[in-house]
Amino acid sequence: MTIRATKFTPKVLLSAPRRSSGVPNTDGSRILYSVSTYSFADHSRKTEIRVLDVSTQTSGLITDASGASEPNWLGDDHVLVLVPGDAGTTKLVAGNVDNFENSSYEAGVIESGASNLKLVSLGDSKFAVAVTAEANPKGELHNPSTAPKSLSSGKLYKSLFVRHWDQYVTKNRNSIWLGTISKSTSESNSHARYKLSPLVNALAGTGLESPIPPFGGSDHFDISPKGLIFAAKDPELNPATHTKVNVYLVEVPDFDKLTDSKPKKVEVFGFEGASTSTVLSPDGKQAAFLSMRKDGYEADKNQLFVIPDVRRPSWVIHAYASEDGKGSWPLSPGGISWSADSKTLYLLAEEKGRVCLFQATADAKALPELIMTGGAISDIRPLATGDVFVSSNSLIDNSTYYLTNRSRNHTVLSSNSRDGAMFGLSHKQIRETSWPGAAPGTQVHAWVVVPSTFNAEEKYPLAYLIHGGPQGSWLDSWSTRWNPVVFAEQGYVVVCPNPTGSTGYGQDFTDAIQDQWGGLPYRDIAKGFDWIEEKISFVDTSRAVALGASYGGYMMNWVQGQELGRKFKALVTHDGVFSMAGQMGSEELYFPFHEFKGSLWTNRESWLKWDPSRFTENWATPHLIVHSELDYRLTISEGLAAFNTLQVKGIESQFLTFPDENHWVLKPENSLLWHTVVLDWINEHVGLPSYSSTSKSEDIKSDALVEGVQGLSL
């Protein structure tokens, strides 16, 4: 860590070193990782690849080459790193882990931007290699820097799916490229260097795309010494109205002699939804993946499937199957890993606001057993020793590495922030509560975060944070976008509820939000406000603010028109829904079609029932609207319409926009401005000092323009 903070502010959050998941060597004694740090003084980001020696707790530099990423082990003594090259290329740079700077060399060049590097040992200093990179319609590597440029900027579309997330859809597609990297046999052993073979597009001519944009990555494919498994959207269905994702297997008898082996589709009858986490066992004989039943529902329950023999892809075991099709294991796993001996499956799954680790036998005859909980586990790496290396984070610590075993013994190997101490944070700030939900028999779980200077005899204003999704949840996890602790350190008690629709509390609780957007979740949140007012003595609900993004932004607009809206001093909507009809401008139309049980014209009543714009006559609470131009999921017209309504009605309001951001605000300078505007807005309305006035004035510099006539009343 390069900073020590006495107060955790947005600038500390955004300047703090961000450490990747760890990549352990064979026995977990050394850990590769990348760490990036942003300097607001220099307005630049620095990235390093480092190696941690677990026994001495010392960290050494591998490389600080600009853009270096994805370190992988070549055995236990060499490292392979991806580094951006000239003209949009990607270099594979190899070197000795103990002397990388002086021993590194270029093992190969990929003539495009490449990522998601995977290596599998083939023996004799040879490794199978897989990377992902864009392919043009001919199946060749696509490099935007060298591709011919059109003289016109026009784009003509003749079917759905014009835009996705923050880009216009083109004819180029993600693809998986296979090859080998091995030591040259023409040199003596003392001077032998690794060399990359020519790469082959494993998806050429198939019409398939993997990983699936915008968020698919290494979880959508895997390799073994004898094959490839991957997930791809069903090519017969339009991705704007369908979520169906198929799983495919490709036999690779010899990575040195890659042939035109065609992918074989794995049939899973009765499961027509999305599939993910496709993994091959280390011995290459078995495979596993997750799949959903319902097409068009991206938050359906993930269920586990195992292929006992990849040579027989038609033999698929539905693990924990039940007669009702919902599965006998109540949780929805989000990731799978095989043990090194190919006998055990490790599953990551949300449960009650945490991401936990479970283990199960490969035959999946017994339900998974919990072996680790607490915080949010982001990645696991099973070791040859039988232990599991775990990368995790929490509300107060942005990166912790653990070693755990099947006896549930957990050893902390490294904490990036000394368990929050480097930020001035502690576990004492994190609490939990729950209250009876709106639906009979339900409980709404919530995280409660208090300031580091908390005194139970004092009263604190309330910051009520509503999550997005809506099928999502507030977790005991770190975030640089919506970090509850940042709000707490301004002097709030922060309550983060997981109302109806949230994940990790059973699939029925998640599913219950369908056609209930402003119904059950709103009532859960309203009941929560009453619960806080009655049960939490150190909260002053007369000085309350509420904030939310995406579905949380929808809820802010909905609350503004309801009785609950009058109980808040100020509201903040980030990229939220103003008008339900406006959702026809979104890219993934299957989402509103599922949520409101049909299209706008087949079930107009449901679309209009939960439309925030229906209640604009009630809007009265001061309201900040944030909406960025590259948000193609919820278009900027939604934010402008809300702001225009507030202005015309003469309600105190502000509008913040970023032309270069999507559904999220990711660039550090933009994020600092976001935090400054949001905190200044809510602090002003509850009587706390503004964030900008308490920060060093020379540090809060921005090129933001304040447009329009100040104080204009309409």
Side-chain angles (χ1 to χ4, degrees):
M1 293 288 292
T2 58
I3 62 170
R4 182 184 294 274
T6 56
K7 183 176 181 179
F8 188 59
T9 66
K11 182 163 286 189
V12 174
L13 168 70
L14 299 170
S15 301
R18 303 185 189 186
R19 190 168 70 170
S20 70
S21 297
V23 183
N25 61 356
T26 304
D27 61 4
S29 61
R30 304 176 91 177
I31 313 298
L32 291 171
Y33 63 95
S34 64
V35 59
S36 64
T37 308
Y38 188 82
S39 168
F40 284 102
D42 299 331
H43 308 290
S44 63
R45 181 178 296 281
K46 181 179 181 180
T47 301
E48 297 177 341
I49 305 295
R50 304 189 68 86
V51 61
L52 171 69
D53 186 296
V54 173
S55 62
T56 64
Q57 286 293 293
T58 57
S59 174
L61 178 67
I62 297 294
T63 179
D64 59 1
S66 178
S69 64
E70 302 191 35
N72 273 259
W73 291 97
L74 289 168
D76 275 346
D77 57 353
H78 275 69
V79 176
L80 187 67
V81 177
L82 298 184
V83 179
D86 297 330
T89 63
T90 303
K91 297 188 293 185
L92 277 72
V93 179
N96 187 286
V97 66
D98 294 315
N99 188 25
F100 193 89
E101 183 178 359
N102 295 322
S103 66
S104 63
Y105 56 90
E106 191 177 286
V109 176
I110 301 170
E111 297 298 325
S112 179
S115 59
N116 299 311
L117 173 65
K118 290 196 174 187
L119 300 174
V120 171
S121 176
L122 299 175
D124 297 327
S125 298
K126 179 183 292 186
F127 296 83
V129 175
V131 296
T132 62
E134 273 197 327
N136 62 27
K138 295 181 179 179
E140 304 163 338
L141 279 168
H142 171 70
N143 185 336
S145 299
T146 58
K149 303 296 188 292
S150 173
L151 298 177
S152 170
S153 62
K155 297 177 175 65
L156 177 64
Y157 294 85
K158 298 182 180 181
S159 66
L160 283 173
F161 224 44
V162 173
R163 309 190 298 188
H164 198 198
W165 190 247
D166 59 4
Q167 296 182 351
Y168 278 82
V169 175
T170 71
K171 293 181 179 180
N172 303 312
R173 298 287 182 266
N174 289 340
S175 200
I176 303 166
W177 302 78
L178 304 178
T180 61
I181 184 167
S182 56
K183 284 188 176 179
S184 172
T185 57
S186 61
E187 303 176 67
S188 65
N189 288 336
S190 60
H191 296 90
R193 292 186 168 192
Y194 283 99
K195 184 176 181 181
L196 179 69
S197 73
L199 297 179
V200 174
N201 182 355
L203 275 57
T206 65
L208 302 173
E209 179 175 28
S210 187
I212 303 165
F215 306 120
S218 59
D219 58 327
H220 282 184
F221 76 99
D222 197 21
I223 56 173
S224 76
K226 294 295 182 181
L228 163 71
I229 189 172
F230 66 93
K233 285 270 193 178
D234 190 308
E236 303 300 320
L237 302 174
N238 192 294
T241 52
H242 296 273
T243 59
K244 191 174 192 314
V245 172
N246 300 326
V247 174
Y248 299 87
L249 282 165
V250 180
E251 290 185 46
V252 184
D254 189 343
F255 272 84
D256 280 325
K257 300 176 182 177
L258 292 167
T259 61
D260 295 330
S261 180
K262 297 299 182 184
K264 296 178 181 177
K265 180 182 172 183
V266 177
E267 297 287 355
V268 185
F269 298 102
F271 279 72
E272 301 298 324
S275 299
T276 189
S277 197
T278 50
V279 289
L280 290 163
S281 60
D283 62 13
K285 297 177 180 180
Q286 306 169 84
F289 60 93
L290 303 173
S291 192
M292 299 178 178
R293 286 194 301 160
K294 300 176 184 177
D295 184 17
Y297 184 26
E298 64 182 7
D300 196 12
K301 181 182 177 182
N302 273 324
Q303 298 194 45
L304 174 65
F305 291 85
V306 178
I307 304 173
D309 185 349
V310 295
R311 297 171 300 177
R312 299 170 58 192
S314 61
W315 180 17
V316 182
I317 296 174
H318 179 190
Y320 324 124
S322 63
E323 290 186 4
D324 62 6
K326 294 182 178 181
S328 57
W329 192 41
L331 301 185
S332 178
I336 315 173
S337 295
W338 287 91
S339 62
D341 62 7
S342 302
K343 295 180 180 179
T344 301
L345 287 169
Y346 294 101
L347 306 172
L348 295 180
E350 280 187 35
E351 186 174 34
K352 298 178 181 177
R354 299 165 175 85
V355 181
C356 308
L357 176 61
F358 298 81
Q359 69 177 24
T361 55
D363 59 18
K365 290 183 178 180
L367 292 180
E369 177 187 1
L370 175 67
I371 60 172
M372 188 173 184
T373 187
I377 298 173
S378 56
D379 186 63
I380 63 167
R381 304 283 177 126
L383 305 178
T385 60
D387 294 336
V388 180
F389 176 83
V390 175
S391 297
S392 182
N393 60 80
S394 70
L395 281 163
I396 65 159
D397 190 357
N398 64 355
S399 174
T400 307
Y401 297 154
Y402 294 91
L403 198 65
T404 188
N405 58 34
R406 298 175 188 178
S407 300
R408 305 183 190 181
N409 296 318
H410 316 311
T411 303
V412 176
L413 302 181
S414 171
S415 168
N416 198 36
S417 68
R418 310 277 170 84
D419 206 22
M422 299 296 281
F423 300 134
L425 307 177
S426 73
H427 288 282
K428 294 186 295 184
Q429 295 178 246
I430 312 302
R431 307 173 180 205
E432 299 175 66
T433 190
S434 63
W435 55 83
T442 61
Q443 286 282 314
V444 175
H445 170 254
W447 294 101
V448 179
V449 184
V450 302
S452 56
T453 55
F454 176 72
N455 181 346
E457 302 302 316
E458 297 182 9
K459 287 271 193 177
Y460 297 86
L462 168 67
Y464 210 19
L465 270 56
I466 310 303
H467 68 66
Q471 294 90 354
S473 63
W474 289 112
L475 300 169
D476 181 12
S477 67
W478 188 264
S479 174
T480 55
R481 291 185 287 112
W482 283 84
N483 191 309
V485 185
V486 162
F487 293 91
E489 291 301 89
Q490 289 294 302
Y492 294 92
V493 168
V494 183
V495 178
C496 303
N498 286 327
T500 298
S502 298
T503 52
Y505 302 89
Q507 193 63 35
D508 289 344
F509 191 74
T510 302
D511 294 345
I513 196 174
Q514 187 183 30
D515 201 22
Q516 280 286 320
W517 270 38
L520 290 174
Y522 169 75
R523 289 160 55 197
D524 287 343
I525 291 164
K527 287 169 70 71
F529 188 94
D530 294 341
W531 176 270
I532 295 164
E533 191 170 43
E534 180 183 350
K535 301 291 186 180
I536 306 182
S537 60
F538 47 80
V539 173
D540 180 1
T541 52
S542 70
R543 294 192 296 149
V545 295
L547 310 87
S550 195
Y551 172 78
Y554 160 87
M555 185 54 72
M556 292 303 97
N557 293 344
W558 181 263
V559 163
Q560 174 70 278
Q562 310 299 319
E563 181 181 350
L564 180 60
R566 307 293 75 81
K567 297 184 179 182
F568 294 107
K569 294 295 185 182
L571 302 171
V572 177
T573 290
H574 177 111
D575 289 21
V577 176
F578 173 77
S579 168
M580 283 304 180
Q583 299 321 292
M584 287 303 299
S586 187
E587 12 87 289
E588 294 177 342
L589 290 173
Y590 59 75
F591 179 73
F593 288 0
H594 171 270
E595 295 300 294
F596 306 113
K597 295 185 175 180
S599 66
L600 177 61
W601 50 94
T602 60
N603 198 14
R604 183 181 299 271
E605 181 180 350
S606 288
W607 284 63
L608 297 182
K609 182 179 182 180
W610 307 118
D611 190 329
S613 68
R614 285 182 56 219
F615 302 94
T616 49
E617 69 272 16
N618 300 331
W619 286 28
T621 301
H623 205 148
L624 167 64
I625 306 293
V626 183
H627 216 115
S628 297
E629 291 192 25
L630 294 182
D631 187 351
Y632 298 156
R633 181 147 297 183
L634 293 171
T635 61
I636 193 172
S637 59
E638 298 294 292
L640 286 168
F643 177 67
N644 291 349
T645 298
L646 293 160
Q647 286 283 298
V648 171
K649 287 177 65 69
I651 301 168
E652 184 185 358
S653 52
Q654 294 181 5
F655 180 71
L656 174 63
T657 186
F658 298 94
D660 55 347
E661 298 283 6
N662 55 37
H663 201 53
W664 304 327
V665 177
L666 301 176
K667 298 179 180 179
E669 303 286 351
N670 288 345
S671 185
L672 181 58
L673 175 61
W674 183 95
H675 280 89
T676 302
V677 171
V678 168
L679 293 177
D680 281 358
W681 173 259
I682 60 175
N683 289 4
E684 173 190 351
H685 287 91
V686 300
L688 290 175
S690 68
Y691 169 61
S692 54
S693 69
T694 56
S695 303
K696 294 181 180 179
S697 59
E698 67 271 16
D699 289 341
I700 306 298
K701 296 179 180 179
S702 172
D703 296 327
L705 300 177
V706 180
E707 299 283 359
V709 180
Q710 300 300 308
L712 178 62
S713 177
L714 295 176

